[in-house]
CSV table of all heavy atoms in Angstrom, one decimal:
chain,number,residue,atom,x,y,z
A,426,ASN,N,7.4,6.3,-7.4
A,426,ASN,CA,7.3,6.7,-6.0
A,426,ASN,C,6.2,5.9,-5.3
A,426,ASN,O,6.3,5.5,-4.2
A,426,ASN,CB,7.0,8.2,-5.9
A,426,ASN,CG,8.1,9.0,-6.3
A,426,ASN,OD1,9.3,8.5,-6.3
A,426,ASN,ND2,7.9,10.2,-6.7
A,427,ILE,N,5.0,5.6,-6.0
A,427,ILE,CA,3.9,4.9,-5.4
A,427,ILE,C,4.4,3.4,-5.2
A,427,ILE,O,4.1,2.8,-4.1
A,427,ILE,CB,2.7,4.9,-6.4
A,427,ILE,CG1,2.1,6.3,-6.4
A,427,ILE,CG2,1.7,3.9,-5.9
A,427,ILE,CD1,1.0,6.5,-7.4
A,428,SER,N,5.2,2.9,-6.1
A,428,SER,CA,5.6,1.5,-6.0
A,428,SER,C,6.6,1.4,-4.8
A,428,SER,O,6.5,0.4,-4.0
A,428,SER,CB,6.4,1.1,-7.3
A,428,SER,OG,6.9,-0.2,-7.1
A,429,GLN,N,7.5,2.3,-4.6
A,429,GLN,CA,8.4,2.3,-3.5
A,429,GLN,C,7.7,2.4,-2.1
A,429,GLN,O,8.0,1.7,-1.2
A,429,GLN,CB,9.4,3.4,-3.6
A,429,GLN,CG,10.4,3.3,-4.7
A,429,GLN,CD,11.4,4.4,-4.9
A,429,GLN,OE1,11.1,5.5,-4.3
A,429,GLN,NE2,12.4,4.3,-5.7
A,430,LEU,N,6.7,3.3,-2.1
A,430,LEU,CA,5.9,3.5,-0.9
A,430,LEU,C,5.1,2.2,-0.5
A,430,LEU,O,5.0,1.8,0.6
A,430,LEU,CB,4.9,4.7,-1.0
A,430,LEU,CG,4.0,5.0,0.2
A,430,LEU,CD1,4.9,5.3,1.4
A,430,LEU,CD2,3.1,6.1,-0.1
A,431,HIS,N,4.6,1.6,-1.6
A,431,HIS,CA,3.8,0.3,-1.4
A,431,HIS,C,4.7,-0.8,-0.7
A,431,HIS,O,4.3,-1.4,0.2
A,431,HIS,CB,3.3,-0.2,-2.7
A,431,HIS,CG,2.6,-1.5,-2.6
A,431,HIS,ND1,1.3,-1.6,-2.1
A,431,HIS,CD2,2.9,-2.7,-3.0
A,431,HIS,CE1,0.9,-2.9,-2.2
A,431,HIS,NE2,1.9,-3.6,-2.7
A,432,THR,N,6.0,-0.9,-1.3
A,432,THR,CA,6.9,-1.9,-0.8
A,432,THR,C,7.3,-1.6,0.7
A,432,THR,O,7.3,-2.5,1.6
A,432,THR,CB,8.2,-1.9,-1.6
A,432,THR,OG1,7.8,-2.2,-3.0
A,432,THR,CG2,9.1,-3.0,-1.1
A,433,GLN,N,7.6,-0.3,1.0
A,433,GLN,CA,8.0,0.1,2.3
A,433,GLN,C,6.9,-0.1,3.3
A,433,GLN,O,7.1,-0.6,4.5
A,433,GLN,CB,8.4,1.5,2.4
A,433,GLN,CG,9.7,1.8,1.6
A,433,GLN,CD,10.1,3.2,1.4
A,433,GLN,OE1,9.3,4.1,1.8
A,433,GLN,NE2,11.2,3.5,0.9
A,434,PHE,N,5.6,0.2,2.9
A,434,PHE,CA,4.5,0.0,3.8
A,434,PHE,C,4.3,-1.5,4.2
A,434,PHE,O,4.1,-1.8,5.4
A,434,PHE,CB,3.2,0.5,3.1
A,434,PHE,CG,2.0,0.4,3.9
A,434,PHE,CD1,1.6,1.4,4.8
A,434,PHE,CD2,1.2,-0.7,3.8
A,434,PHE,CE1,0.5,1.3,5.6
A,434,PHE,CE2,0.0,-0.9,4.6
A,434,PHE,CZ,-0.3,0.1,5.5
A,435,ASN,N,4.3,-2.3,3.2
A,435,ASN,CA,4.1,-3.8,3.5
A,435,ASN,C,5.3,-4.4,4.3
A,435,ASN,O,5.0,-5.2,5.1
A,435,ASN,CB,4.0,-4.5,2.1
A,435,ASN,CG,2.6,-4.4,1.5
A,435,ASN,OD1,1.6,-5.0,2.0
A,435,ASN,ND2,2.5,-3.5,0.5
A,436,ASN,N,6.5,-3.9,4.0
A,436,ASN,CA,7.6,-4.4,4.8
A,436,ASN,C,7.5,-4.0,6.3
A,436,ASN,O,7.7,-4.8,7.2
A,436,ASN,CB,9.0,-3.8,4.3
A,436,ASN,CG,9.4,-4.4,3.0
A,436,ASN,OD1,8.9,-5.5,2.6
A,436,ASN,ND2,10.2,-3.7,2.2
A,437,ALA,N,7.0,-2.7,6.5
A,437,ALA,CA,6.8,-2.3,7.9
A,437,ALA,C,5.7,-3.1,8.6
A,437,ALA,O,5.8,-3.5,9.8
A,437,ALA,CB,6.4,-0.8,7.9
A,438,GLY,N,4.6,-3.4,7.8
A,438,GLY,CA,3.6,-4.2,8.4
A,438,GLY,C,4.0,-5.6,8.7
A,438,GLY,O,3.6,-6.2,9.8
A,439,GLN,N,4.8,-6.2,7.8
A,439,GLN,CA,5.3,-7.6,8.0
A,439,GLN,C,6.2,-7.6,9.2
A,439,GLN,O,6.3,-8.6,10.0
A,439,GLN,CB,5.9,-8.1,6.8
A,439,GLN,CG,4.9,-8.3,5.6
A,439,GLN,CD,5.6,-8.5,4.3
A,439,GLN,OE1,6.9,-8.5,4.2
A,439,GLN,NE2,4.8,-8.6,3.2
A,440,ASN,N,7.0,-6.6,9.4
A,440,ASN,CA,7.9,-6.5,10.6
A,440,ASN,C,7.2,-6.5,11.9
A,440,ASN,O,7.5,-7.1,12.9
A,440,ASN,CB,8.9,-5.3,10.5
A,440,ASN,CG,9.9,-5.5,9.4
A,440,ASN,OD1,10.3,-6.6,9.1
A,440,ASN,ND2,10.4,-4.3,8.9
A,441,LEU,N,6.1,-5.8,11.9
A,441,LEU,CA,5.2,-5.7,13.1
A,441,LEU,C,4.6,-7.1,13.4
A,441,LEU,O,4.4,-7.4,14.5
A,441,LEU,CB,4.1,-4.6,12.9
A,441,LEU,CG,3.2,-4.4,14.1
A,441,LEU,CD1,4.0,-4.0,15.3
A,441,LEU,CD2,2.2,-3.3,13.8
A,442,GLN,N,4.2,-7.8,12.3
A,442,GLN,CA,3.6,-9.1,12.5
A,442,GLN,C,4.6,-10.1,13.2
A,442,GLN,O,4.2,-11.1,13.9
A,442,GLN,CB,3.2,-9.7,11.2
A,442,GLN,CG,1.9,-9.2,10.6
A,442,GLN,CD,1.5,-9.8,9.3
A,442,GLN,OE1,2.4,-10.1,8.4
A,442,GLN,NE2,0.3,-10.1,9.1
A,443,LYS,N,5.9,-9.9,13.1
A,443,LYS,CA,6.9,-10.8,13.7
A,443,LYS,C,7.1,-10.5,15.2
A,443,LYS,O,7.7,-11.3,15.9
A,443,LYS,CB,8.3,-10.5,13.0
A,443,LYS,CG,8.3,-10.9,11.5
A,443,LYS,CD,9.6,-10.5,10.9
A,443,LYS,CE,9.6,-10.8,9.4
A,443,LYS,NZ,10.9,-10.4,8.8
A,444,VAL,N,6.5,-9.4,15.7
A,444,VAL,CA,6.6,-9.2,17.1
A,444,VAL,C,5.8,-10.2,17.9
A,444,VAL,O,4.6,-10.4,17.6
A,444,VAL,CB,6.1,-7.7,17.4
A,444,VAL,CG1,6.2,-7.5,18.9
A,444,VAL,CG2,7.0,-6.7,16.7
A,445,GLN,N,6.4,-10.8,18.9
A,445,GLN,CA,5.8,-11.8,19.8
A,445,GLN,C,4.9,-11.1,20.8
A,445,GLN,O,5.2,-10.0,21.3
A,445,GLN,CB,6.8,-12.6,20.5
A,445,GLN,CG,7.8,-13.4,19.6
A,445,GLN,CD,7.0,-14.5,18.8
A,445,GLN,OE1,6.1,-15.1,19.3
A,445,GLN,NE2,7.4,-14.6,17.5
A,446,GLY,N,3.7,-11.7,21.0
A,446,GLY,CA,2.8,-11.3,22.1
A,446,GLY,C,1.9,-10.2,21.7
A,446,GLY,O,1.4,-9.5,22.6
A,447,LEU,N,1.7,-10.0,20.4
A,447,LEU,CA,0.7,-8.9,20.0
A,447,LEU,C,-0.7,-9.3,20.4
A,447,LEU,O,-1.0,-10.5,20.3
A,447,LEU,CB,0.8,-8.7,18.5
A,447,LEU,CG,2.0,-8.0,17.9
A,447,LEU,CD1,1.8,-7.8,16.4
A,447,LEU,CD2,2.1,-6.6,18.5
A,448,PRO,N,-1.5,-8.4,20.8
A,448,PRO,CA,-2.9,-8.8,21.1
A,448,PRO,C,-3.6,-9.4,19.9
A,448,PRO,O,-3.3,-9.0,18.7
A,448,PRO,CB,-3.6,-7.4,21.5
A,448,PRO,CG,-2.4,-6.6,21.9
A,448,PRO,CD,-1.2,-7.0,21.1
A,449,ASN,N,-4.5,-10.3,20.1
A,449,ASN,CA,-5.2,-11.0,19.0
A,449,ASN,C,-5.9,-10.0,18.1
A,449,ASN,O,-5.9,-10.1,16.9
A,449,ASN,CB,-6.1,-12.1,19.5
A,449,ASN,CG,-5.3,-13.3,20.1
A,449,ASN,OD1,-4.1,-13.5,19.8
A,449,ASN,ND2,-5.9,-13.9,21.1
A,450,ASP,N,-6.6,-9.1,18.7
A,450,ASP,CA,-7.4,-8.1,18.0
A,450,ASP,C,-6.5,-7.3,17.1
A,450,ASP,O,-6.8,-7.1,15.9
A,450,ASP,CB,-8.2,-7.2,18.9
A,450,ASP,CG,-9.3,-7.9,19.6
A,450,ASP,OD1,-9.7,-9.0,19.1
A,450,ASP,OD2,-9.8,-7.4,20.6
A,451,LEU,N,-5.4,-6.9,17.6
A,451,LEU,CA,-4.4,-6.1,16.8
A,451,LEU,C,-3.8,-6.9,15.7
A,451,LEU,O,-3.7,-6.4,14.5
A,451,LEU,CB,-3.3,-5.6,17.7
A,451,LEU,CG,-2.1,-4.9,17.0
A,451,LEU,CD1,-2.6,-3.6,16.3
A,451,LEU,CD2,-1.0,-4.5,18.0
């Protein structure tokens, strides 16, 4: 369960990184 949560968390973070125009601080 911990392994699955780790994978899902990082995927969600990487998807957010792909968004254009994010503030530099963010």
Side-chain angles (χ1 to χ4, degrees):
N426 290 338
I427 291 174
S428 177
Q429 290 177 347
L430 180 59
H431 177 75
T432 301
Q433 292 171 355
F434 179 87
N435 281 284
N436 288 341
Q439 290 166 6
N440 287 336
L441 183 57
Q442 283 183 317
K443 297 175 183 178
V444 176
Q445 299 295 323
L447 285 181
N449 292 332
D450 291 344
L451 175 60

